[in-house]
């Protein structure tokens, strides 16, 4: 990464010297590269080494990857600040109909009351290293795309296993920074005992619900507190009552005075994936097919689950986390679809591709090397378009439908666990299998047979409508899709009545069986997935071959694009540690409309209706009406601030990232983007890319005056 970016960032630093510091720039920069950024020109009062260093303690030691989100240590005893929606599943797991902590909030009055957040892990980046040569030596002389893909996968697993053996207690992960070109090894402290400490009620932590999700202005207190634990000797360990709080190397200082309009802020975190270096062919595939399919399919599930839980509190609680996850993706994709159209993004990419193609044609050597690259990418996506719906139905049959998904994992476990460790799929390697089993068993906790059957039938309807050449023949045979609907219904009803896959003890037993022993188990849903096994094997090979083809072609395209633009690129986000900076500033989403960057308590009064999702707790409303906000008043709005808007470059995975001022102090908590900024995954622009966070003053006001958690404020170094 240092080799790849050095030229680009040197140019970048010189250019930025002429820019006013009050400016936001595109960039989810790998943290190893921030020493080359003009931080002082941007007004930073701390050095790059104070933000990230592999040689001494820095702010980065306080930042964690928490499941699919980010979090930060805010005390010496492992207290972690993250989003309410990131802790949502833990809050749901702690809840019952008698004690609904989603509705009422949760607070542990002592360490003993902190609730185990099963399935959550904490990762802290220890080091990173360019290992491109180690990875790519496995494919020297290999030309077949499928064999290249398999070789790279195996080599990455080998390296990760070797590094974990060399560094006991650490987790190793290899990340592809540029396709087929650059690979980095990351070593993480890996903590497996995480507990829920505090969560506001959903009427605060999820105020506005799906209505306000991905929107501005916001008035949401989207935060929760968790804690990381280790064994008494300080080593990472699974949950045990004997474990003790983890002591991080450092933790963030909370700036209770907050931040104001125009101030510079920055974010450290673990953004998920962006696709800014992809071609117009990828983007048009997403726009025409994949995202519209997902929006429709997720909407169906959301509507179904809401209907089933309407008059049943137990089901409402059971479905809550699933609905929230589906709704988040569904609205995000609608925003992306709107953004692609509004920005004419496909047309923009095609125009650039035409210019680069002309650049290629002007040189015989370039033409020979790169002349067929775009046509090759186009060909891959044209082929994918023909089989996409069939592939997605197979995927969601073993994804959206719970019992077939469980059966599929059981069969794969039996098959994969017989192979040498490095030849297994990642989930079934020794280093991962315990957690794979745990996650599978967790799916059963919220299983609902009625919902599962209805989702299955909806998917089978889609399967029956496939063109003749795309029909999934095993599905047709199993469910008699060519026969009467009543026959299909009867097959499903009987299978769900007879299966034992909803029993956790039975599933756990099957997960440890050999293929020979498993073949003797008679279970109707297990048999469905046995019959479908050849289809899944063929699908996996198709996907691997396609991935291998695209990796080679994308690498060539990036090469020639760099030659044309005479510059280098920041790699797309890929779940690794990144830095981004911007300003507290509003934006204009449409003509004659300007949205200011700080919301206030006034908005809570204006929005509150007493009905979900705008049902602020009565006790909080009474407290807010007193208008006694003291030191928590913002100069920008003249009263208690609620949420803040800023021009950093973020995406999914940045949820829970700390928003920090130029001194490196915590002033907010990132939790969302504006609707226009959902397009960030494909393109960033200062005019519309805005991120949203909870103002630290609202967070502290709630902890102090509403939740009365003086012990937690004291732990954070605040009164």
């Amino acid at each position: 990464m240092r080799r790849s970016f050095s030229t680009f960032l040197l140019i970048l630093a010189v250019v930025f010297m002429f820019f006013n510091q009050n400016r936001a720039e595109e960039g989810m920069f790998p943290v190893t590269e921030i020493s080359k950024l003009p931080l002082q020109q941007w007004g930073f009062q701390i050095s790059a080494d104070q933000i990230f260093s592999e040689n001494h303690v820095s702010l980065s030691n306080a930042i964690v990857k928490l499941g699919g989100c980010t979090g930060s240590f805010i005390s010496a005893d492992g207290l972690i600040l993250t989003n309410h929606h990131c802790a949502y599943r833990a809050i749901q797991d702690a809840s019952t109909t008698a004690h609904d902590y989603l509705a009422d909030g949760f607070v542990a009055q002592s360490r003993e009351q902190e609730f185990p957040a099963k399935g959550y892990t904490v990762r802290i980046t220890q080091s990173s290293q360019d290992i491109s040569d180690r990875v790519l030596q496995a494919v020297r002389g290999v030309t077949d795309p499928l064999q290249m893909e398999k070789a790279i996968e195996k080599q990455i697993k080998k390296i990760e296993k070797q590094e974990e053996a060399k560094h006991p207690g650490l987790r190793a992960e290899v990340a592809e920074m540029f396709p087929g070109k650059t690979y980095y090894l990351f070593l993480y402290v890996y903590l497996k005992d995480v507990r829920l400490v505090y969560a506001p009620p959903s009427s605060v932590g999820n105020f506005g619900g799906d209505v306000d999700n991905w929107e501005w202005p916001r008035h949401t207190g989207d935060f929760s507190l968790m804690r990381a634990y280790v064994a008494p000797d300080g080593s990472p360990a699974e949950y045990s009552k004997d474990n003790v709080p983890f002591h991080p190397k450092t933790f963030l200082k909370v700036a209770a005075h907050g931040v104001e309009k125009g101030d510079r802020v920055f974010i450290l975190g673990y953004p998920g994936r962006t696709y800014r270096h992809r071609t117009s062919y990828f983007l048009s595939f997403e726009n025409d097919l994949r995202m519209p399919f997902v929006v429709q399919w997720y909407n169906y599930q959301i509507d179904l689950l809401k209907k089933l839980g309407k008059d049943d509190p137990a089901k409402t609680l059971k479905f809550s986390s699933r609905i929230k996850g589906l709704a988040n993706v569904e609205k995000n994709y609608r925003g992306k679809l709107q953004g692609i159209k509004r920005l004419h993004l496909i047309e923009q990419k095609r125009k650039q591709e035409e210019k680069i193609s002309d650049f290629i044609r002007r040189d015989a050597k370039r033409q020979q090397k790169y002349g067929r690259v775009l046509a090759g990418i186009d060909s891959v996506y044209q082929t994918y378009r023909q089989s996409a719906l069939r592939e997605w139905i197979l995927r969601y049959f073993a994804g959206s439908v719970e019992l077939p998904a469980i059966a599929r994992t059981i069969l794969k476990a039996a098959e994969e666990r017989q192979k040498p460790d490095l030849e297994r799929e990642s989930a079934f390697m020794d280093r991962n299998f315990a957690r794979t089993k745990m996650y599978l068993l967790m799916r059963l906790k919220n299983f609902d047979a009625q919902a599962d059957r209805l989702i299955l039938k909806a998917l089978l309807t889609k399967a029956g409508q496939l063109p003749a050449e795309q029909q999934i023949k095993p599905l047709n045979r199993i469910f008699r899709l060519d026969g009467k609907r009543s026959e299909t219904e009867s097959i499903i009803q009987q299978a769900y009545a007879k299966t034992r896959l909803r029993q956790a003890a039975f599933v756990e037993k099957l997960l440890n069986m050999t293929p020979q022993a498993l073949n003797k188990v008679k279970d109707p849903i297990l048999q469905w997935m046995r019959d479908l096994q050849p289809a899944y094997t063929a699908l996996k090979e198709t996907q691997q071959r396609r991935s291998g083809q695209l990796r080679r072609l994308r690498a060539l395209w990036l090469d020639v694009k760099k030659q044309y633009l005479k510059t280098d690129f920041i790699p797309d986000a890929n779940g690794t540690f990144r830095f981004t900076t911007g300003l507290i500033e509003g934006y204009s989403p449409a003509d004659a409309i300007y949205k200011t960057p700080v919301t206030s308590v006034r908005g809570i009064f204006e929005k509150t209706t007493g009905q979900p999702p705008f049902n602020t707790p009565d006790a909080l409303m009474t407290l807010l009406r007193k208008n006694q906000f003291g030191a928590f008043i913002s100069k920008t709005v003249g009263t208690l601030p609620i949420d803040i808007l800023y021009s950093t470059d973020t995406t999914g995975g940045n949820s829970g990232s700390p928003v920090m001022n130029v001194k490196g102090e915590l002033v907010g908590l990132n939790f969302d983007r504006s609707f226009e900024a959902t397009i960030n995954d494909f393109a960033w622009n200062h005019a519309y890319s805005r991120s949203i966070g909870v103002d630290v003053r609202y967070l502290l006001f709630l902890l102090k005056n509403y939740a009365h958690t003086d012990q937690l404020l004291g732990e954070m170094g605040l009164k």
Side-chain angles (χ1 to χ4, degrees):
M1 191 157 42
R2 288 182 174 88
R3 293 199 307 263
S4 302
F5 303 143
S6 57
T7 303
F8 163 68
L9 288 169
L10 201 54
I11 295 169
L12 193 69
V14 173
V15 171
F16 284 161
M17 287 179 65
F18 298 99
F19 279 45
N20 185 283
Q21 72 177 46
N22 290 324
R23 181 180 173 88
E25 299 297 333
E26 176 179 3
M28 299 180 200
F29 296 94
V31 290
T32 51
E33 300 306 310
I34 61 176
S35 61
K36 300 182 179 76
L37 296 175
L39 299 182
Q40 287 186 327
Q41 296 294 323
W42 285 337
F44 279 75
Q45 297 178 29
I46 52 175
S47 67
D49 266 3
Q50 289 174 290
I51 297 173
F52 175 80
S53 173
E54 293 182 357
N55 302 315
H56 58 76
V57 175
S58 61
L59 290 174
S60 65
N61 295 115
I63 314 302
V64 307
K65 186 172 185 177
L66 182 69
C69 292
T70 301
S72 54
F73 289 119
I74 54 171
S75 87
D77 281 344
L79 190 65
I80 298 170
L81 176 66
T82 192
N83 289 150
H84 181 273
H85 75 261
C86 294
Y88 198 90
R89 181 168 53 78
I91 306 167
Q92 180 194 26
D93 287 347
S95 298
T96 64
T97 51
H99 299 285
D100 187 347
Y101 298 121
L102 284 173
D104 303 330
F106 175 88
V107 58
Q109 298 295 344
S110 65
R111 301 277 169 88
E112 291 72 28
Q113 291 181 3
E114 294 175 358
F115 192 85
K118 193 174 182 181
Y120 282 77
T121 59
V122 163
R123 299 188 189 192
I124 312 161
T125 298
Q126 289 293 98
S127 65
S128 63
Q129 178 186 1
D130 187 337
I131 58 161
S132 303
D133 292 341
R134 285 177 68 184
V135 173
L136 295 174
Q137 69 182 8
V139 293
R140 291 197 179 105
V142 181
T143 57
D144 179 71
L146 179 59
Q147 296 308 313
M148 287 180 67
E149 189 72 7
K150 289 181 176 180
I152 286 176
E153 285 181 10
K154 186 174 181 179
Q155 183 74 346
I156 286 173
K157 292 173 188 174
K158 179 180 178 181
I159 292 170
E160 290 173 342
K161 191 171 182 177
Q162 289 173 341
E163 293 298 325
E164 288 181 1
K166 287 184 351 189
H167 302 91
L170 297 185
R171 183 79 170 181
E173 283 190 3
V174 175
E176 182 181 68
M177 308 306 284
F178 288 110
K181 287 284 188 181
T182 312
Y183 296 83
Y184 261 66
L185 168 69
F186 290 84
L187 292 178
Y188 299 96
V189 173
Y190 186 58
L191 308 179
K192 295 171 280 188
D193 183 355
V194 184
R195 306 183 194 180
L196 181 66
V197 177
Y198 172 78
S202 290
S203 51
V204 174
N206 191 32
F207 182 77
D210 294 338
V211 177
D212 272 5
N213 191 24
W214 302 105
E215 302 288 351
W216 182 261
R218 295 292 287 278
H219 301 84
T220 307
D222 192 349
F223 78 99
S224 288
L225 298 174
M226 307 182 90
R227 194 184 305 276
Y229 281 77
V230 290
D233 65 359
S235 63
E238 298 286 353
Y239 171 81
S240 168
K241 63 180 179 60
D242 297 323
N243 285 352
V244 298
F246 172 72
H247 299 305
K249 292 180 180 179
T250 190
F251 57 92
L252 299 185
K253 178 183 178 181
V254 177
H257 58 272
V259 69
E260 303 294 346
K261 179 180 178 180
D263 288 349
R264 178 167 290 279
V265 293
F266 72 98
I267 283 176
L268 291 172
Y270 293 88
R273 288 207 169 270
T274 55
Y275 307 91
R276 298 176 190 175
H277 299 316
R278 301 294 180 93
T279 64
S280 63
Y281 303 105
F282 163 81
L283 201 57
S284 96
F285 178 85
E286 292 287 303
N287 183 69
D288 299 345
L289 295 178
R290 196 183 75 85
M291 289 195 294
F293 176 86
V294 172
V295 167
Q296 184 276 329
W297 179 235
Y298 281 23
N299 262 323
Y300 165 77
Q301 293 177 76
I302 292 165
D303 292 344
L304 172 67
L305 296 175
K306 284 183 176 180
K307 181 179 179 181
L308 293 179
K310 183 178 180 182
D311 300 315
D312 188 332
K315 285 194 175 185
T316 297
L317 182 60
K318 182 187 292 187
F319 297 148
S320 59
S321 182
R322 187 172 180 181
I323 290 172
K324 188 171 180 62
L326 291 167
N328 191 56
V329 173
E330 185 275 336
K331 192 168 184 179
N332 175 281
Y333 279 17
R334 280 195 287 113
K336 285 187 173 77
L337 289 166
Q338 177 179 298
I340 289 171
K341 181 179 180 180
R342 179 171 56 88
L343 300 171
H344 306 289
L345 201 55
I346 296 172
E347 292 85 347
Q348 286 183 37
K349 281 191 173 289
R350 284 178 178 160
K351 286 178 181 177
Q352 185 186 58
E353 287 163 4
E354 288 170 6
K355 291 178 181 177
I356 297 173
S357 294
D358 184 59
F359 171 74
I360 293 170
R361 286 190 292 269
R362 292 201 302 266
D363 183 275
K365 289 183 179 179
R366 283 199 297 263
Q367 177 65 25
Q368 183 178 6
K369 186 173 183 179
Y370 304 113
R372 295 291 301 164
V373 171
L374 273 183
I377 294 173
D378 183 19
S379 177
V380 171
Y381 279 106
Q382 289 299 336
T383 302
Y384 191 5
R385 283 172 178 266
Q386 296 169 21
S387 63
L389 187 55
R390 184 183 191 276
E391 292 187 25
W392 297 334
I393 288 171
L394 276 169
R395 173 190 169 188
Y396 286 115
F397 187 83
S400 297
V401 196
E402 299 283 6
L403 293 191
I406 289 169
R408 169 88 175 128
T409 304
I410 290 167
L411 291 170
K412 286 175 69 177
E415 177 186 351
E416 294 291 320
R417 297 289 290 171
Q418 302 306 303
K419 300 176 183 178
D421 197 43
L422 291 177
E423 295 181 12
R424 299 172 189 165
E425 289 186 18
S426 180
F428 303 100
M429 293 177 68
D430 291 340
R431 66 198 287 265
N432 299 321
F433 190 49
R435 300 200 76 77
T436 298
K437 288 195 288 186
M438 180 183 69
Y439 288 130
L440 192 68
L441 295 172
M442 287 172 63
R443 294 188 76 154
L444 284 172
K445 180 179 178 183
N446 294 315
F447 173 74
D448 183 86
Q450 183 185 18
D452 217 40
R453 291 195 305 269
L454 291 170
I455 292 170
L456 170 58
K457 285 189 282 187
L459 208 54
L460 291 175
T461 298
K462 292 182 181 296
Q465 295 169 348
L466 286 169
E469 69 277 8
Q470 293 293 326
Q471 287 286 315
I472 305 169
K473 294 179 181 178
L475 276 183
N476 293 354
R477 289 196 303 270
I478 294 166
F479 296 102
R480 313 289 195 272
L481 296 184
D482 297 330
K484 296 179 180 179
R485 183 176 297 181
S486 59
E487 192 175 13
T488 301
E489 175 71 27
S490 176
I491 291 167
I492 295 171
Q493 290 282 6
Q494 290 180 34
Y496 273 75
K498 293 179 180 179
T499 186
R500 295 174 61 194
L501 293 182
R502 66 181 68 187
Q503 300 171 17
F506 182 65
V507 169
E508 192 164 13
K509 179 182 177 182
L510 298 185
L511 282 168
N512 296 310
M513 284 188 176
T514 63
Q516 294 77 18
L518 193 59
N519 282 337
K520 297 177 182 178
V521 176
K522 305 301 179 185
D523 185 277
I525 297 180
L526 207 58
Q527 188 58 48
W528 291 353
M529 305 316 288
R530 287 193 189 102
D531 293 343
L532 280 163
Q533 185 65 22
Y536 281 110
T537 300
L539 175 61
K540 180 182 176 182
E541 186 163 308
T542 295
Q543 292 173 332
Q544 285 183 313
R545 183 174 295 280
R546 182 166 60 233
S547 180
Q549 290 173 324
L550 287 172
R551 175 177 277 114
R552 180 180 63 82
L553 291 165
R554 287 173 55 212
L556 289 168
W557 181 248
L558 280 177
D559 273 348
V560 72
K561 187 177 177 180
K562 290 174 187 177
Q563 293 175 34
Y564 171 73
L565 295 175
K566 298 179 181 179
T567 188
D568 214 323
F569 308 116
I570 301 165
D572 271 320
N574 58 358
T576 57
F577 203 15
R578 303 293 178 104
F579 164 94
T580 178
T581 182
L583 306 172
I584 303 294
E585 58 179 326
Y587 74 115
S588 177
D591 183 44
I593 295 175
Y594 177 75
K595 297 193 175 186
T596 57
V598 184
T599 60
S600 76
V601 67
R602 173 185 168 187
I604 294 179
F605 293 132
E606 291 173 345
K607 287 183 175 180
T608 297
T609 64
Q611 297 298 319
F614 298 105
N615 53 326
T616 306
D618 291 341
L620 180 56
M621 288 295 285
T622 299
L623 187 62
L624 295 176
R625 287 191 187 100
K626 292 180 180 178
N627 204 34
Q628 296 176 355
F629 305 127
F632 298 131
I633 292 175
S634 161
K635 295 178 183 177
T636 300
V637 294
T639 184
L640 178 68
I642 306 299
D643 292 332
I644 49 178
L645 190 72
Y646 35 92
S647 52
T648 58
D649 189 357
T650 66
T651 189
N654 277 123
S655 288
S657 289
V659 182
M660 290 173 274
N661 62 20
V662 291
K663 296 179 180 179
E665 300 167 330
L666 181 78
V667 294
L669 182 67
N670 188 74
F671 69 86
D672 205 357
R673 283 170 281 159
S674 62
F675 192 63
E676 294 78 13
T678 53
I679 197 66
N680 271 18
D681 292 358
F682 301 140
W684 184 93
N685 190 291
H686 181 250
Y688 58 77
S689 290
R690 294 292 183 275
S691 302
I692 302 171
V694 185
D695 191 297
V696 73
R697 288 164 290 192
Y698 183 47
L699 186 157
L700 294 175
F701 176 83
L702 290 170
L703 288 175
K704 180 177 178 62
N705 298 306
Y706 176 67
H708 305 292
T709 57
D710 290 343
Q711 76 279 12
L712 294 175
L713 291 169
E715 186 178 339
M716 294 159 58
L718 302 167
K719 294 183 180 180

